[in-house]
Amino acid sequence: MRGRFITIEGTEGVGKTTNIDYIKQWLDDNGISFVNTREPGGTPLAEEIREVLLSNREEQVCSKAELLMMFAGRAQHIDQVIEPQLAMGNWVLCDRFTDATYAYQGAGREMGNALIESLETMVQGSMRPDLTLVLDVPVELGLERAGKRSEPDRFELEKTDFFNRVRQAYLSMAEKSPERYKVIDASNSLVQVQQQISLVLCNFLNKHQDEISSQ
Ligand code: TMP
């Protein structure tokens, strides 16, 4: 049976790294074989594109160039990693995917959704994640947490308004499709956040197992 595709999303400083480690452990504990990957990135070529996208530069990067680079990396990542792994029956756990494009380029950069929808169809066909966890914290709290880490990259230099648009876009995608998106309140304590994640994953795994046994 084809593997399942799980993506993790959120604005800056929501704790993706720590919680992805938790999810990896959970998948291991449940005997699920999976690969963990990320966007932008996930293959040598797509990681090169990531460096170009994140590095601070004097030249202004126009929104369309940024959008096309996101999808260029994604096309390579799907072709080389995501699709072959799913086809082999492995699960794929991906740190960000196309929802980040809707949130950051569509809403953050105010490009709207139409262009993104057509690129999504071109690059992915009908392929979409099976489950998307949206880690949510108020923007100010996230930026404060993120600011304590390393030097800000080109996105982290954006203003609070930008990240408020990004956050709202994630929440509105989740509201429209509650079957696929699960919003996790990541401003709670780590233990509480991980309890919420574990509940979502248990429900998802049960559904998956029901599907297998009905085949
Ligand atoms: P990361 O720091 O979570 O690895 O993500 C790198 C940055 O790339 C993050 O600020 C969000 C941004 N991004 C987009 O703007 N559009 C996209 O499609 C993706 C995947 C990421």
Side-chain angles (χ1 to χ4, degrees):
M1 183 175 180
R2 196 175 154 83
R4 297 290 166 161
F5 183 24
I6 302 178
T7 56
I8 316 297
E9 300 280 358
T11 51
E12 315 303 307
V14 292
K16 276 193 296 118
T17 311
T18 314
N19 288 305
I20 284 172
D21 284 344
Y22 175 78
I23 297 170
K24 281 159 62 180
Q25 188 61 52
W26 191 95
L27 292 170
D28 273 336
D29 292 346
N30 283 277
I32 294 165
S33 60
F34 68 96
V35 292
N36 177 211
T37 184
R38 68 171 179 184
E39 289 212 353
T43 82
L45 171 62
E47 288 290 330
E48 283 185 42
I49 296 174
R50 177 187 175 91
E51 273 188 46
V52 171
L53 278 161
L54 296 196
S55 61
N56 291 306
R57 60 188 68 243
E58 262 174 44
E59 181 182 353
Q60 177 81 26
V61 180
C62 86
S63 299
K64 278 188 185 162
E66 182 177 285
L67 175 66
L68 291 169
M69 283 191 272
M70 290 294 174
F71 271 105
R74 184 162 299 138
Q76 185 70 7
H77 190 204
I78 292 171
D79 184 76
Q80 296 290 306
V81 178
I82 300 177
E83 196 49 52
Q85 290 293 333
L86 293 174
M88 276 193 286
N90 293 327
W91 289 29
V92 174
L93 175 64
C94 192
D95 180 350
R96 298 194 186 281
F97 194 63
T98 307
D99 294 312
T101 315
Y102 282 107
Y104 281 78
Q105 281 65 51
R109 301 267 186 247
E110 300 182 284
M111 296 186 78
N113 288 349
L115 196 51
I116 302 174
E117 280 164 7
S118 52
L119 289 167
E120 180 180 41
T121 305
M122 183 185 97
V123 169
Q124 296 168 222
S126 61
M127 186 261 229
R128 301 288 179 274
D130 298 299
L131 172 68
T132 298
L133 296 176
V134 177
L135 302 180
D136 182 59
V137 299
V139 166
E140 283 78 8
L141 176 61
L143 290 178
E144 196 191 307
R145 287 183 185 168
K148 291 188 184 139
R149 296 194 309 235
S150 48
E151 275 294 287
D153 63 34
R154 201 170 57 80
F155 289 96
E156 288 165 345
L157 287 173
E158 288 296 335
K159 305 261 177 322
T160 308
D161 279 359
F162 176 94
F163 293 111
N164 275 321
R165 290 196 294 277
V166 171
R167 181 182 183 211
Q168 286 314 316
Y170 278 131
L171 294 177
S172 98
M173 287 187 274
E175 204 180 345
K176 279 187 202 130
S177 308
E179 265 299 293
R180 192 226 302 172
Y181 298 87
K182 304 293 170 199
V183 178
I184 306 291
D185 182 351
S187 54
N188 286 328
S189 73
L190 194 56
V191 174
Q192 287 170 318
V193 171
Q194 295 181 342
Q195 275 169 351
Q196 290 178 71
I197 293 177
S198 159
L199 189 65
V200 167
L201 292 175
C202 283
N203 289 337
F204 183 72
L205 182 60
N206 285 342
K207 256 182 25 196
H208 174 72
Q209 282 168 339
D210 286 349
E211 249 176 67
I212 295 179
S213 48
S214 70
Q215 277 180 354

